[in-house]
Amino acid sequence: MPGEKEDSVNEQIYDEDDQETPEIEQSLVSSGDNQSNSTRWKVATILNNQQLREELMDYIELQMKAGPHPSCLVAVKQQFFGGQSPLARIPGEINSAPIIPIADMRGVDSSKYSKGERLMRCKLASLYRLVNLRGWNSTIKNHITARLSEDSMQSFLVNPYGLLYKEVTAGNLIKVDLEGRILDRGNTVLGVNQAGFSLHSAIYSARPDINCVIHIQTAETVAVSVLKKGFIQLTQDALMGGVPCYLESEAAYPNGDTKDTIINSISDDCDIIFVRNHGLYACGPTLETAWRFAEMAFRGCQQQLQMMKAGLDNLTYISEEAITLVKNHMHADATNLGSEIMWEPGALEFEAEMRILDNKGFRTGYVYKAPAL
């Protein structure tokens, strides 16, 4: 009989392993009394095979990215995979969602952008992931922006308002003009937080040499921004955080009346801008340099808050000679450091961070200067 033949095949499949019924199999066998046992056993066979599981999950992920998520695919994903996939996950995060690839532009999506813009999109989206891994992000708030310097017109890349930092990709970054008006929406239907972008716009207007701005609004950076003495450069990390300057709290959301005042308040040598009660903005001529200033300034804030517990009178301040030595060291990257490659300030550290992301499965799309180390 046909039914007897199917049962015989199923018995042979599970007699080979002679193991206890897997968890997936148990859930299938115990659910749906009206379903055929032979059908459920076949599904269990597929889901208990690692290769078949991965192929099925890849197909589901592909179909869900192709358009509106069919409810049946979502249900299958949640029922059998717990909302996750066998793709890479961030180590240390319990039940974390699959990592969304950064370099997600393919075919028609990428053909409308120049090579320079595609690379910048990948680097900026990677920077959002670094900030997320550091825990510096605040849900969907705050921004990291980059100037597209190759454009004859003033245009900038910014995150869509509504996505978490770990959801930002090269393809969904939005291109805006200096006033925050959308020029290219990327592959998202979301918009831009105009109020949040306004200070970035003022910084870019004040400093044509700045091509990246990173806003960090953590407990440490906000605490230092509130202090009357501000950012006290007491350590090497703090000195490598760049030259600080300060804006009053209302500068966080400039309007037509205050924008000119803000522009005139940003000095030509300023690298990190503390907005009172609002955190810091790390700026740089390149994305890599801005990242270095952001990381070093953040460490400096942490160290300062720890040292202040001992009282300012008990702290030893750095001499002018030592400050000069540290600043000279900061610019030593551009003199090769004995390497065959010319590294701009911050580029060595940034490339190391990209290796970490790629090794974790983020697929950054980053073009390495030293691909084989």
Side-chain angles (χ1 to χ4, degrees), residues 22 30 36 80 97 108 128 133 154 159 165-166 194 221 240 244 259 290 324 369:
S30 61
S36 167
F80 300 122
V108 176
Y128 275 94
L133 290 174
Q154 290 281 316
N159 54 315
Y165 275 26
K166 63 183 178 182
Q194 300 286 347
T221 60
M240 294 182 72
K259 187 172 182 178
T324 301
K369 284 189 175 182

Side-chain angles (χ1 to χ4, degrees), residues 238-263:
L239 286 172
M240 294 182 72
V243 177
C245 62
Y246 302 89
L247 297 174
E248 296 305 316
S249 56
E250 57 267 20
Y253 305 104
N255 53 40
D257 296 331
T258 60
K259 187 172 182 178
D260 290 340
T261 303
I262 293 169
I263 291 173

Side-chain angles (χ1 to χ4, degrees), residues 52-284:
L52 292 176
R53 254 175 86 87
E54 292 182 1
E55 290 179 0
L56 176 60
M57 193 60 215
D58 287 343
Y59 174 77
I60 292 174
E61 294 282 355
L62 180 64
Q63 294 302 314
M64 291 178 71
K65 288 178 180 179
H69 298 174
S71 58
C72 58
L73 290 179
V74 176
V76 169
K77 185 177 179 182
Q78 292 176 344
Q79 173 69 25
F80 300 122
F81 302 98
Q84 301 181 17
S85 77
L87 299 175
R89 294 174 178 82
I90 301 174
E93 288 195 10
I94 300 175
N95 296 324
S96 61
I99 294 173
I100 300 172
I102 292 170
D104 63 337
M105 293 186 297
R106 297 287 185 274
V108 176
D109 285 343
S110 62
S111 62
K112 63 180 180 179
Y113 303 124
S114 67
K115 180 180 179 180
E117 180 171 343
R118 291 197 301 271
L119 294 176
M120 178 58 74
R121 283 175 170 271
C122 288
K123 284 205 295 185
L124 183 59
S126 297
L127 186 49
Y128 275 94
R129 304 304 182 89
L130 289 178
V131 170
N132 179 68
L133 290 174
R134 294 290 196 278
W136 297 349
N137 55 308
S138 178
T139 63
I140 65 172
K141 309 293 183 183
N142 302 337
H143 306 284
I144 308 169
T145 59
R147 189 199 303 264
L148 292 171
S149 56
E150 64 181 30
D151 285 358
S152 56
M153 63 181 296
Q154 290 281 316
S155 60
F156 308 86
L157 294 175
V158 62
N159 54 315
Y161 190 57
L163 293 184
L164 299 171
Y165 275 26
K166 63 183 178 182
E167 297 178 296
V168 174
T169 67
N172 63 35
L173 287 166
I174 297 177
K175 187 192 298 186
V176 299
D177 64 13
L178 191 60
E179 302 304 319
R181 291 184 290 260
I182 294 176
L183 303 175
D184 186 288
R185 199 177 292 276
N187 60 20
T188 180
V189 298
L190 298 173
V192 173
N193 182 354
Q194 300 286 347
F197 179 74
S198 56
L199 181 53
H200 292 247
S201 172
I203 294 171
Y204 287 123
S205 297
R207 295 279 301 280
D209 60 312
I210 288 176
N211 292 309
C212 181
V213 178
I214 305 171
H215 180 200
I216 302 178
Q217 194 176 7
T218 63
E220 294 88 347
T221 60
V222 172
V224 170
S225 74
V226 171
L227 298 174
K228 290 183 178 180
K229 286 186 174 291
F231 187 52
I232 309 173
Q233 294 179 299
L234 297 167
T235 65
Q236 178 172 300
D237 286 342
L239 286 172
M240 294 182 72
V243 177
C245 62
Y246 302 89
L247 297 174
E248 296 305 316
S249 56
E250 57 267 20
Y253 305 104
N255 53 40
D257 296 331
T258 60
K259 187 172 182 178
D260 290 340
T261 303
I262 293 169
I263 291 173
N264 294 330
S265 301
I266 300 174
S267 60
D268 292 338
D269 62 345
C270 179
D271 302 309
I272 49 173
I273 303 169
F274 282 90
V275 180
R276 297 295 187 182
N277 313 91
H278 195 68
L280 72 82
Y281 291 74
C283 311

